[in-house]
Amino acid sequence: MNLKELAAHIAAKFQNHYGRPPRWIVAAPGRVNVIGEHTDYNDGFVLPMAIERYAIMAADSPPRGSVSAQSKITVFDAHFDETATIDITAPVTKGSPKWSNYLRGVLAGFQQRGVKIPALDVAFLSTVPLGGGLSSSAALEVCTATLMEAATGERIDPIEKALLAQQAEHDFAGVPCGIMDQFISALGREDHLLLLDCRTRQTELVPMSDPSVALLVINTNVKHELSGGEYAERRAQCEEAAAKLGVKSLRDVTADQLEQGRARLSEIVFRRARHVIGEIERTVHAAEGIRQNNWPTVGQFMYASHYSLRDDYEVSCAELDAVVEIAEAIGAQGGVYGCRMTGGGFGGCCVALVQAGAAEAITRKIGADYKTKTGIDPTIFSSRPAAGATIIKG
Ligand code: GLA
């Protein structure tokens, strides 16, 4: 479903559930990170793009007259047919169902900024695969923040919005994530990647509209549950490396300096730092390659990123490695420029840069070979770089 169809779909769901049409419809996309993995919380660079997969919400004020309805936000999950009720008369706290915490965290952030949360009836659904490393949670958070903008009539700066959503993830989902996912969901632009300097928060939109190439998202359809603790552990190891090297963050360290300081680090912490420092460099170079439509070069950086994530950072897994191996076997001759795991790791998705004309054949080949190797059916789709969060109606 494209965004227009999706908007019509959620409007119908709202109408069905609440018996009247919605007044507002808002959406926020998921993302795929082209390169720059595990660099955001090290003050480095990332290069994500928003994808044509969205969290979408339709909403209206509750009908006048019902007093109890004025004290809460009712959220109907139109996909799983489940309802969350959030009390807005007091500071919003964590609660159930679990997914409602992404919304609760954002509402709490607005409250902390002195915004009076309006009572609402909401219907929502998401086409961002859950837990697939495509930022389904950031999409939901940014979508909620966008709904608040629509319903209160007060726009907030998109960077402020992204930071508020990130805070929600930290405080209400317990994931000490960086700023990439919420930034791209809030600030994405059609046909552009977003080169984000996570230290200065400066952004540059890098055009990517060459019709001769396409990006494929390959979902391994596995998720290894160790991801939560492993993410925090990687972050702590990076902080340890920076502290032992006497700098604020790994952004401040060159490859040479890392070598010179090697004796001060344990073997594991050294390798973690080597990934981050190399990845920051690769991301800057890959952005340059994209500006020049130099796809073979971009592809090489993608492969190098994967090997580094697999060997030094150790956040890949057998299924992600299998996809990259299959992509490499198809090779440049078969139309694949590069491929790598994307997102936090331990399952989820790979991203491949391919010749547009060969995309269908490559999709079939990866699908078949992955199934043979792992026994699992992958989900594969291609997406143009999509726009960030939008108010579709209201
Ligand atoms: C997750 C986090 C991001 C980023 C990536 C790894 O998606 O939410 O902030 O750290 O992992 O690049």
Side-chain angles (χ1 to χ4, degrees), residues 193-231:
L193 308 185
L194 187 75
L195 179 65
L196 168 62
D197 180 338
C198 301
R199 165 162 279 176
T200 61
R201 292 178 190 152
Q202 268 187 350
T203 56
E204 180 196 328
L205 288 162
V206 181
M208 180 149 178
S209 52
D210 181 346
S212 76
V213 287
L215 283 163
L216 293 181
V217 178
I218 303 131
N219 194 339
T220 60
N221 286 330
V222 297
K223 185 177 189 305
H224 297 292
E225 282 304 334
L226 13 102
S227 45
E230 296 275 349
Y231 185 90

PDB file of all heavy atoms in Angstrom, residues 193-231:
ATOM      1  N   LEU A 193      18.972  10.601   0.714  1.00  0.00           N
ATOM      2  CA  LEU A 193      19.460  10.009   1.950  1.00  0.00           C
ATOM      3  C   LEU A 193      19.785  11.165   2.885  1.00  0.00           C
ATOM      4  O   LEU A 193      19.919  12.311   2.450  1.00  0.00           O
ATOM      5  CB  LEU A 193      20.730   9.198   1.693  1.00  0.00           C
ATOM      6  CG  LEU A 193      20.697   8.153   0.582  1.00  0.00           C
ATOM      7  CD1 LEU A 193      22.012   7.379   0.561  1.00  0.00           C
ATOM      8  CD2 LEU A 193      19.544   7.188   0.791  1.00  0.00           C
ATOM      9  N   LEU A 194      19.920  10.854   4.162  1.00  0.00           N
ATOM     10  CA  LEU A 194      20.226  11.914   5.131  1.00  0.00           C
ATOM     11  C   LEU A 194      21.603  11.627   5.736  1.00  0.00           C
ATOM     12  O   LEU A 194      21.768  10.640   6.450  1.00  0.00           O
ATOM     13  CB  LEU A 194      19.165  11.925   6.230  1.00  0.00           C
ATOM     14  CG  LEU A 194      19.259  13.074   7.231  1.00  0.00           C
ATOM     15  CD1 LEU A 194      18.756  14.373   6.598  1.00  0.00           C
ATOM     16  CD2 LEU A 194      18.431  12.765   8.482  1.00  0.00           C
ATOM     17  N   LEU A 195      22.560  12.487   5.402  1.00  0.00           N
ATOM     18  CA  LEU A 195      23.865  12.367   6.048  1.00  0.00           C
ATOM     19  C   LEU A 195      23.804  13.198   7.317  1.00  0.00           C
ATOM     20  O   LEU A 195      23.640  14.416   7.266  1.00  0.00           O
ATOM     21  CB  LEU A 195      24.979  12.883   5.128  1.00  0.00           C
ATOM     22  CG  LEU A 195      26.394  12.818   5.714  1.00  0.00           C
ATOM     23  CD1 LEU A 195      26.839  11.379   5.952  1.00  0.00           C
ATOM     24  CD2 LEU A 195      27.406  13.515   4.797  1.00  0.00           C
ATOM     25  N   LEU A 196      23.907  12.500   8.429  1.00  0.00           N
ATOM     26  CA  LEU A 196      23.725  13.179   9.719  1.00  0.00           C
ATOM     27  C   LEU A 196      25.014  13.104  10.520  1.00  0.00           C
ATOM     28  O   LEU A 196      25.565  12.022  10.733  1.00  0.00           O
ATOM     29  CB  LEU A 196      22.572  12.486  10.469  1.00  0.00           C
ATOM     30  CG  LEU A 196      22.374  12.816  11.947  1.00  0.00           C
ATOM     31  CD1 LEU A 196      22.044  14.286  12.153  1.00  0.00           C
ATOM     32  CD2 LEU A 196      21.263  11.943  12.534  1.00  0.00           C
ATOM     33  N   ASP A 197      25.470  14.258  10.923  1.00  0.00           N
ATOM     34  CA  ASP A 197      26.610  14.335  11.838  1.00  0.00           C
ATOM     35  C   ASP A 197      26.028  14.290  13.255  1.00  0.00           C
ATOM     36  O   ASP A 197      25.415  15.252  13.713  1.00  0.00           O
ATOM     37  CB  ASP A 197      27.367  15.654  11.590  1.00  0.00           C
ATOM     38  CG  ASP A 197      28.564  15.801  12.516  1.00  0.00           C
ATOM     39  OD1 ASP A 197      28.588  15.153  13.581  1.00  0.00           O
ATOM     40  OD2 ASP A 197      29.470  16.581  12.177  1.00  0.00           O
ATOM     41  N   CYS A 198      26.201  13.166  13.901  1.00  0.00           N
ATOM     42  CA  CYS A 198      25.523  12.971  15.193  1.00  0.00           C
ATOM     43  C   CYS A 198      26.146  13.800  16.304  1.00  0.00           C
ATOM     44  O   CYS A 198      25.591  13.880  17.393  1.00  0.00           O
ATOM     45  CB  CYS A 198      25.517  11.487  15.566  1.00  0.00           C
ATOM     46  SG  CYS A 198      24.680  10.490  14.328  1.00  0.00           S
ATOM     47  N   ARG A 199      27.296  14.405  16.042  1.00  0.00           N
ATOM     48  CA  ARG A 199      27.894  15.276  17.052  1.00  0.00           C
ATOM     49  C   ARG A 199      27.261  16.669  16.980  1.00  0.00           C
ATOM     50  O   ARG A 199      26.766  17.173  17.975  1.00  0.00           O
ATOM     51  CB  ARG A 199      29.400  15.376  16.844  1.00  0.00           C
ATOM     52  CG  ARG A 199      30.016  16.540  17.610  1.00  0.00           C
ATOM     53  CD  ARG A 199      31.501  16.399  17.764  1.00  0.00           C
ATOM     54  NE  ARG A 199      31.802  15.511  18.870  1.00  0.00           N
ATOM     55  CZ  ARG A 199      33.028  15.122  19.213  1.00  0.00           C
ATOM     56  NH1 ARG A 199      34.059  15.506  18.476  1.00  0.00           N
ATOM     57  NH2 ARG A 199      33.225  14.344  20.254  1.00  0.00           N
ATOM     58  N   THR A 200      27.281  17.255  15.790  1.00  0.00           N
ATOM     59  CA  THR A 200      26.776  18.635  15.666  1.00  0.00           C
ATOM     60  C   THR A 200      25.273  18.648  15.360  1.00  0.00           C
ATOM     61  O   THR A 200      24.651  19.690  15.406  1.00  0.00           O
ATOM     62  CB  THR A 200      27.477  19.353  14.513  1.00  0.00           C
ATOM     63  OG1 THR A 200      27.180  18.636  13.303  1.00  0.00           O
ATOM     64  CG2 THR A 200      28.978  19.412  14.721  1.00  0.00           C
ATOM     65  N   ARG A 201      24.752  17.480  14.982  1.00  0.00           N
ATOM     66  CA  ARG A 201      23.367  17.324  14.521  1.00  0.00           C
ATOM     67  C   ARG A 201      23.113  18.081  13.224  1.00  0.00           C
ATOM     68  O   ARG A 201      21.968  18.414  12.903  1.00  0.00           O
ATOM     69  CB  ARG A 201      22.369  17.751  15.582  1.00  0.00           C
ATOM     70  CG  ARG A 201      22.413  16.781  16.751  1.00  0.00           C
ATOM     71  CD  ARG A 201      21.501  17.171  17.849  1.00  0.00           C
ATOM     72  NE  ARG A 201      21.760  16.337  19.006  1.00  0.00           N
ATOM     73  CZ  ARG A 201      21.556  16.705  20.258  1.00  0.00           C
ATOM     74  NH1 ARG A 201      21.063  17.892  20.513  1.00  0.00           N
ATOM     75  NH2 ARG A 201      21.812  15.895  21.246  1.00  0.00           N
ATOM     76  N   GLN A 202      24.191  18.364  12.512  1.00  0.00           N
ATOM     77  CA  GLN A 202      24.004  18.965  11.192  1.00  0.00           C
ATOM     78  C   GLN A 202      23.588  17.884  10.218  1.00  0.00           C
ATOM     79  O   GLN A 202      24.091  16.758  10.280  1.00  0.00           O
ATOM     80  CB  GLN A 202      25.316  19.574  10.720  1.00  0.00           C
ATOM     81  CG  GLN A 202      25.414  21.028  11.117  1.00  0.00           C
ATOM     82  CD  GLN A 202      26.627  21.681  10.499  1.00  0.00           C
ATOM     83  OE1 GLN A 202      27.485  21.018   9.936  1.00  0.00           O
ATOM     84  NE2 GLN A 202      26.686  22.981  10.633  1.00  0.00           N
ATOM     85  N   THR A 203      22.682  18.244   9.317  1.00  0.00           N
ATOM     86  CA  THR A 203      22.206  17.255   8.359  1.00  0.00           C
ATOM     87  C   THR A 203      22.464  17.746   6.941  1.00  0.00           C
ATOM     88  O   THR A 203      22.451  18.947   6.674  1.00  0.00           O
ATOM     89  CB  THR A 203      20.692  17.022   8.513  1.00  0.00           C
ATOM     90  OG1 THR A 203      20.017  18.276   8.384  1.00  0.00           O
ATOM     91  CG2 THR A 203      20.350  16.397   9.842  1.00  0.00           C
ATOM     92  N   GLU A 204      22.697  16.788   6.059  1.00  0.00           N
ATOM     93  CA  GLU A 204      22.808  17.127   4.641  1.00  0.00           C
ATOM     94  C   GLU A 204      21.974  16.118   3.876  1.00  0.00           C
ATOM     95  O   GLU A 204      22.122  14.908   4.060  1.00  0.00           O
ATOM     96  CB  GLU A 204      24.278  17.029   4.200  1.00  0.00           C
ATOM     97  CG  GLU A 204      24.459  17.374   2.732  1.00  0.00           C
ATOM     98  CD  GLU A 204      25.818  16.923   2.182  1.00  0.00           C
ATOM     99  OE1 GLU A 204      26.811  16.904   2.930  1.00  0.00           O
ATOM    100  OE2 GLU A 204      25.848  16.568   0.995  1.00  0.00           O
ATOM    101  N   LEU A 205      21.087  16.618   3.035  1.00  0.00           N
ATOM    102  CA  LEU A 205      20.297  15.712   2.211  1.00  0.00           C
ATOM    103  C   LEU A 205      21.131  15.347   0.990  1.00  0.00           C
ATOM    104  O   LEU A 205      21.552  16.222   0.236  1.00  0.00           O
ATOM    105  CB  LEU A 205      18.989  16.385   1.798  1.00  0.00           C
ATOM    106  CG  LEU A 205      17.987  16.538   2.944  1.00  0.00           C
ATOM    107  CD1 LEU A 205      16.925  17.568   2.614  1.00  0.00           C
ATOM    108  CD2 LEU A 205      17.345  15.187   3.280  1.00  0.00           C
ATOM    109  N   VAL A 206      21.391  14.051   0.830  1.00  0.00           N
ATOM    110  CA  VAL A 206      22.198  13.595  -0.298  1.00  0.00           C
ATOM    111  C   VAL A 206      21.247  12.997  -1.339  1.00  0.00           C
ATOM    112  O   VAL A 206      20.592  11.994  -1.073  1.00  0.00           O
ATOM    113  CB  VAL A 206      23.220  12.521   0.163  1.00  0.00           C
ATOM    114  CG1 VAL A 206      24.074  12.067  -1.003  1.00  0.00           C
ATOM    115  CG2 VAL A 206      24.078  13.050   1.301  1.00  0.00           C
ATOM    116  N   PRO A 207      21.146  13.631  -2.515  1.00  0.00           N
ATOM    117  CA  PRO A 207      20.190  13.148  -3.516  1.00  0.00           C
ATOM    118  C   PRO A 207      20.498  11.715  -3.942  1.00  0.00           C
ATOM    119  O   PRO A 207      21.660  11.362  -4.106  1.00  0.00           O
ATOM    120  CB  PRO A 207      20.380  14.094  -4.707  1.00  0.00           C
ATOM    121  CG  PRO A 207      21.142  15.259  -4.194  1.00  0.00           C
ATOM    122  CD  PRO A 207      21.914  14.788  -3.005  1.00  0.00           C
ATOM    123  N   MET A 208      19.475  10.922  -4.076  1.00  0.00           N
ATOM    124  CA  MET A 208      19.658   9.570  -4.603  1.00  0.00           C
ATOM    125  C   MET A 208      18.454   9.259  -5.480  1.00  0.00           C
ATOM    126  O   MET A 208      17.471   8.677  -5.035  1.00  0.00           O
ATOM    127  CB  MET A 208      19.772   8.559  -3.474  1.00  0.00           C
ATOM    128  CG  MET A 208      19.951   7.161  -4.014  1.00  0.00           C
ATOM    129  SD  MET A 208      20.917   6.116  -2.963  1.00  0.00           S
ATOM    130  CE  MET A 208      20.826   4.600  -3.903  1.00  0.00           C
ATOM    131  N   SER A 209      18.545   9.706  -6.720  1.00  0.00           N
ATOM    132  CA  SER A 209      17.394   9.509  -7.611  1.00  0.00           C
ATOM    133  C   SER A 209      17.825   8.914  -8.937  1.00  0.00           C
ATOM    134  O   SER A 209      17.050   8.894  -9.888  1.00  0.00           O
ATOM    135  CB  SER A 209      16.677  10.846  -7.827  1.00  0.00           C
ATOM    136  OG  SER A 209      17.611  11.820  -8.229  1.00  0.00           O
ATOM    137  N   ASP A 210      19.065   8.402  -8.993  1.00  0.00           N
ATOM    138  CA  ASP A 210      19.542   7.760 -10.216  1.00  0.00           C
ATOM    139  C   ASP A 210      18.651   6.544 -10.503  1.00  0.00           C
ATOM    140  O   ASP A 210      18.641   5.590  -9.721  1.00  0.00           O
ATOM    141  CB  ASP A 210      21.001   7.336 -10.004  1.00  0.00           C
ATOM    142  CG  ASP A 210      21.595   6.668 -11.235  1.00  0.00           C
ATOM    143  OD1 ASP A 210      20.827   6.291 -12.142  1.00  0.00           O
ATOM    144  OD2 ASP A 210      22.829   6.513 -11.273  1.00  0.00           O
ATOM    145  N   PRO A 211      17.917   6.565 -11.619  1.00  0.00           N
ATOM    146  CA  PRO A 211      16.985   5.445 -11.874  1.00  0.00           C
ATOM    147  C   PRO A 211      17.693   4.134 -12.174  1.00  0.00           C
ATOM    148  O   PRO A 211      17.046   3.087 -12.208  1.00  0.00           O
ATOM    149  CB  PRO A 211      16.178   5.927 -13.092  1.00  0.00           C
ATOM    150  CG  PRO A 211      17.026   6.964 -13.743  1.00  0.00           C
ATOM    151  CD  PRO A 211      17.900   7.574 -12.676  1.00  0.00           C
ATOM    152  N   SER A 212      19.009   4.167 -12.363  1.00  0.00           N
ATOM    153  CA  SER A 212      19.695   2.917 -12.721  1.00  0.00           C
ATOM    154  C   SER A 212      19.997   2.046 -11.505  1.00  0.00           C
ATOM    155  O   SER A 212      20.438   0.912 -11.654  1.00  0.00           O
ATOM    156  CB  SER A 212      20.990   3.228 -13.478  1.00  0.00           C
ATOM    157  OG  SER A 212      21.985   3.671 -12.574  1.00  0.00           O
ATOM    158  N   VAL A 213      19.796   2.588 -10.293  1.00  0.00           N
ATOM    159  CA  VAL A 213      20.049   1.755  -9.110  1.00  0.00           C
ATOM    160  C   VAL A 213      18.814   1.664  -8.205  1.00  0.00           C
ATOM    161  O   VAL A 213      17.937   2.531  -8.237  1.00  0.00           O
ATOM    162  CB  VAL A 213      21.222   2.269  -8.239  1.00  0.00           C
ATOM    163  CG1 VAL A 213      22.548   2.014  -8.893  1.00  0.00           C
ATOM    164  CG2 VAL A 213      21.034   3.717  -7.847  1.00  0.00           C
ATOM    165  N   ALA A 214      18.803   0.612  -7.412  1.00  0.00           N
ATOM    166  CA  ALA A 214      17.714   0.431  -6.439  1.00  0.00           C
ATOM    167  C   ALA A 214      18.302  -0.125  -5.156  1.00  0.00           C
ATOM    168  O   ALA A 214      19.369  -0.747  -5.168  1.00  0.00           O
ATOM    169  CB  ALA A 214      16.676  -0.543  -7.004  1.00  0.00           C
ATOM    170  N   LEU A 215      17.610   0.131  -4.057  1.00  0.00           N
ATOM    171  CA  LEU A 215      18.010  -0.458  -2.783  1.00  0.00           C
ATOM    172  C   LEU A 215      17.002  -1.542  -2.425  1.00  0.00           C
ATOM    173  O   LEU A 215      15.788  -1.306  -2.446  1.00  0.00           O
ATOM    174  CB  LEU A 215      18.049   0.615  -1.693  1.00  0.00           C
ATOM    175  CG  LEU A 215      19.286   1.515  -1.743  1.00  0.00           C
ATOM    176  CD1 LEU A 215      19.076   2.768  -0.931  1.00  0.00           C
ATOM    177  CD2 LEU A 215      20.533   0.777  -1.259  1.00  0.00           C
ATOM    178  N   LEU A 216      17.527  -2.715  -2.120  1.00  0.00           N
ATOM    179  CA  LEU A 216      16.658  -3.810  -1.694  1.00  0.00           C
ATOM    180  C   LEU A 216      16.807  -3.989  -0.195  1.00  0.00           C
ATOM    181  O   LEU A 216      17.915  -3.948   0.336  1.00  0.00           O
ATOM    182  CB  LEU A 216      17.059  -5.122  -2.372  1.00  0.00           C
ATOM    183  CG  LEU A 216      16.875  -5.242  -3.879  1.00  0.00           C
ATOM    184  CD1 LEU A 216      17.320  -6.636  -4.321  1.00  0.00           C
ATOM    185  CD2 LEU A 216      15.418  -5.003  -4.263  1.00  0.00           C
ATOM    186  N   VAL A 217      15.688  -4.179   0.461  1.00  0.00           N
ATOM    187  CA  VAL A 217      15.701  -4.498   1.884  1.00  0.00           C
ATOM    188  C   VAL A 217      15.370  -5.984   1.995  1.00  0.00           C
ATOM    189  O   VAL A 217      14.338  -6.432   1.489  1.00  0.00           O
ATOM    190  CB  VAL A 217      14.666  -3.656   2.647  1.00  0.00           C
ATOM    191  CG1 VAL A 217      14.661  -4.029   4.125  1.00  0.00           C
ATOM    192  CG2 VAL A 217      14.955  -2.166   2.471  1.00  0.00           C
ATOM    193  N   ILE A 218      16.271  -6.729   2.620  1.00  0.00           N
ATOM    194  CA  ILE A 218      16.092  -8.182   2.708  1.00  0.00           C
ATOM    195  C   ILE A 218      15.930  -8.541   4.180  1.00  0.00           C
ATOM    196  O   ILE A 218      16.885  -8.457   4.960  1.00  0.00           O
ATOM    197  CB  ILE A 218      17.316  -8.910   2.111  1.00  0.00           C
ATOM    198  CG1 ILE A 218      17.512  -8.459   0.659  1.00  0.00           C
ATOM    199  CG2 ILE A 218      17.147 -10.428   2.200  1.00  0.00           C
ATOM    200  CD1 ILE A 218      18.905  -8.058   0.328  1.00  0.00           C
ATOM    201  N   ASN A 219      14.727  -8.909   4.546  1.00  0.00           N
ATOM    202  CA  ASN A 219      14.457  -9.249   5.944  1.00  0.00           C
ATOM    203  C   ASN A 219      14.739 -10.733   6.156  1.00  0.00           C
ATOM    204  O   ASN A 219      14.109 -11.583   5.526  1.00  0.00           O
ATOM    205  CB  ASN A 219      12.997  -8.916   6.280  1.00  0.00           C
ATOM    206  CG  ASN A 219      12.727  -8.928   7.773  1.00  0.00           C
ATOM    207  OD1 ASN A 219      13.473  -9.543   8.538  1.00  0.00           O
ATOM    208  ND2 ASN A 219      11.666  -8.274   8.188  1.00  0.00           N
ATOM    209  N   THR A 220      15.691 -11.034   7.031  1.00  0.00           N
ATOM    210  CA  THR A 220      16.041 -12.443   7.298  1.00  0.00           C
ATOM    211  C   THR A 220      14.905 -13.160   8.021  1.00  0.00           C
ATOM    212  O   THR A 220      14.895 -14.373   8.111  1.00  0.00           O
ATOM    213  CB  THR A 220      17.294 -12.543   8.191  1.00  0.00           C
ATOM    214  OG1 THR A 220      17.013 -11.880   9.440  1.00  0.00           O
ATOM    215  CG2 THR A 220      18.504 -11.907   7.537  1.00  0.00           C
ATOM    216  N   ASN A 221      13.994 -12.370   8.560  1.00  0.00           N
ATOM    217  CA  ASN A 221      12.891 -12.910   9.350  1.00  0.00           C
ATOM    218  C   ASN A 221      13.364 -13.721  10.558  1.00  0.00           C
ATOM    219  O   ASN A 221      12.673 -14.638  11.008  1.00  0.00           O
ATOM    220  CB  ASN A 221      11.910 -13.721   8.476  1.00  0.00           C
ATOM    221  CG  ASN A 221      11.063 -12.779   7.622  1.00  0.00           C
ATOM    222  OD1 ASN A 221      10.782 -11.648   8.013  1.00  0.00           O
ATOM    223  ND2 ASN A 221      10.678 -13.227   6.440  1.00  0.00           N
ATOM    224  N   VAL A 222      14.538 -13.356  11.052  1.00  0.00           N
ATOM    225  CA  VAL A 222      14.949 -13.884  12.358  1.00  0.00           C
ATOM    226  C   VAL A 222      15.296 -12.703  13.254  1.00  0.00           C
ATOM    227  O   VAL A 222      15.713 -11.637  12.795  1.00  0.00           O
ATOM    228  CB  VAL A 222      16.177 -14.832  12.307  1.00  0.00           C
ATOM    229  CG1 VAL A 222      15.877 -16.064  11.490  1.00  0.00           C
ATOM    230  CG2 VAL A 222      17.418 -14.120  11.803  1.00  0.00           C
ATOM    231  N   LYS A 223      15.095 -12.921  14.533  1.00  0.00           N
ATOM    232  CA  LYS A 223      15.438 -11.903  15.511  1.00  0.00           C
ATOM    233  C   LYS A 223      15.967 -12.664  16.709  1.00  0.00           C
ATOM    234  O   LYS A 223      15.258 -13.456  17.307  1.00  0.00           O
ATOM    235  CB  LYS A 223      14.179 -11.126  15.899  1.00  0.00           C
ATOM    236  CG  LYS A 223      14.455  -9.976  16.830  1.00  0.00           C
ATOM    237  CD  LYS A 223      13.174  -9.201  17.126  1.00  0.00           C
ATOM    238  CE  LYS A 223      13.399  -7.927  17.861  1.00  0.00           C
ATOM    239  NZ  LYS A 223      14.126  -8.022  19.099  1.00  0.00           N
ATOM    240  N   HIS A 224      17.255 -12.463  16.973  1.00  0.00           N
ATOM    241  CA  HIS A 224      17.845 -13.167  18.105  1.00  0.00           C
ATOM    242  C   HIS A 224      17.672 -12.297  19.338  1.00  0.00           C
ATOM    243  O   HIS A 224      18.083 -11.155  19.355  1.00  0.00           O
ATOM    244  CB  HIS A 224      19.312 -13.478  17.821  1.00  0.00           C
ATOM    245  CG  HIS A 224      19.472 -14.391  16.650  1.00  0.00           C
ATOM    246  ND1 HIS A 224      19.068 -15.706  16.680  1.00  0.00           N
ATOM    247  CD2 HIS A 224      19.908 -14.172  15.397  1.00  0.00           C
ATOM    248  CE1 HIS A 224      19.299 -16.262  15.501  1.00  0.00           C
ATOM    249  NE2 HIS A 224      19.796 -15.347  14.705  1.00  0.00           N
ATOM    250  N   GLU A 225      17.084 -12.851  20.316  1.00  0.00           N
ATOM    251  CA  GLU A 225      16.586 -12.043  21.432  1.00  0.00           C
ATOM    252  C   GLU A 225      17.664 -11.402  22.294  1.00  0.00           C
ATOM    253  O   GLU A 225      17.365 -10.635  23.183  1.00  0.00           O
ATOM    254  CB  GLU A 225      15.621 -12.859  22.297  1.00  0.00           C
ATOM    255  CG  GLU A 225      14.224 -13.007  21.702  1.00  0.00           C
ATOM    256  CD  GLU A 225      13.541 -11.681  21.386  1.00  0.00           C
ATOM    257  OE1 GLU A 225      13.872 -10.671  22.034  1.00  0.00           O
ATOM    258  OE2 GLU A 225      12.691 -11.655  20.482  1.00  0.00           O
ATOM    259  N   LEU A 226      18.937 -11.709  21.998  1.00  0.00           N
ATOM    260  CA  LEU A 226      19.964 -11.120  22.861  1.00  0.00           C
ATOM    261  C   LEU A 226      20.175  -9.635  22.607  1.00  0.00           C
ATOM    262  O   LEU A 226      20.914  -8.971  23.327  1.00  0.00           O
ATOM    263  CB  LEU A 226      21.314 -11.834  22.721  1.00  0.00           C
ATOM    264  CG  LEU A 226      21.563 -12.791  21.587  1.00  0.00           C
ATOM    265  CD1 LEU A 226      22.381 -12.195  20.481  1.00  0.00           C
ATOM    266  CD2 LEU A 226      22.284 -13.989  22.159  1.00  0.00           C
ATOM    267  N   SER A 227      19.489  -9.097  21.608  1.00  0.00           N
ATOM    268  CA  SER A 227      19.814  -7.741  21.160  1.00  0.00           C
ATOM    269  C   SER A 227      19.761  -6.675  22.261  1.00  0.00           C
ATOM    270  O   SER A 227      20.619  -5.813  22.316  1.00  0.00           O
ATOM    271  CB  SER A 227      18.924  -7.341  20.004  1.00  0.00           C
ATOM    272  OG  SER A 227      17.601  -7.688  20.278  1.00  0.00           O
ATOM    273  N   GLY A 228      18.784  -6.727  23.151  1.00  0.00           N
ATOM    274  CA  GLY A 228      18.644  -5.672  24.153  1.00  0.00           C
ATOM    275  C   GLY A 228      19.917  -5.413  24.929  1.00  0.00           C
ATOM    276  O   GLY A 228      20.526  -4.346  24.856  1.00  0.00           O
ATOM    277  N   GLY A 229      20.384  -6.426  25.647  1.00  0.00           N
ATOM    278  CA  GLY A 229      21.575  -6.274  26.476  1.00  0.00           C
ATOM    279  C   GLY A 229      22.840  -6.065  25.663  1.00  0.00           C
ATOM    280  O   GLY A 229      23.736  -5.331  26.057  1.00  0.00           O
ATOM    281  N   GLU A 230      22.898  -6.709  24.505  1.00  0.00           N
ATOM    282  CA  GLU A 230      24.091  -6.601  23.664  1.00  0.00           C
ATOM    283  C   GLU A 230      24.294  -5.163  23.193  1.00  0.00           C
ATOM    284  O   GLU A 230      25.417  -4.679  23.094  1.00  0.00           O
ATOM    285  CB  GLU A 230      23.953  -7.501  22.424  1.00  0.00           C
ATOM    286  CG  GLU A 230      23.884  -8.972  22.733  1.00  0.00           C
ATOM    287  CD  GLU A 230      25.261  -9.602  22.887  1.00  0.00           C
ATOM    288  OE1 GLU A 230      26.262  -8.949  22.561  1.00  0.00           O
ATOM    289  OE2 GLU A 230      25.318 -10.749  23.349  1.00  0.00           O
ATOM    290  N   TYR A 231      23.197  -4.482  22.901  1.00  0.00           N
ATOM    291  CA  TYR A 231      23.304  -3.101  22.411  1.00  0.00           C
ATOM    292  C   TYR A 231      23.936  -2.214  23.488  1.00  0.00           C
ATOM    293  O   TYR A 231      24.889  -1.478  23.232  1.00  0.00           O
ATOM    294  CB  TYR A 231      21.912  -2.581  22.017  1.00  0.00           C
ATOM    295  CG  TYR A 231      21.932  -1.206  21.386  1.00  0.00           C
ATOM    296  CD1 TYR A 231      22.067  -1.064  20.006  1.00  0.00           C
ATOM    297  CD2 TYR A 231      21.840  -0.050  22.149  1.00  0.00           C
ATOM    298  CE1 TYR A 231      22.099   0.187  19.412  1.00  0.00           C
ATOM    299  CE2 TYR A 231      21.875   1.205  21.569  1.00  0.00           C
ATOM    300  CZ  TYR A 231      21.990   1.320  20.196  1.00  0.00           C
ATOM    301  OH  TYR A 231      22.031   2.566  19.619  1.00  0.00           O
TER     302      TYR A 231
END
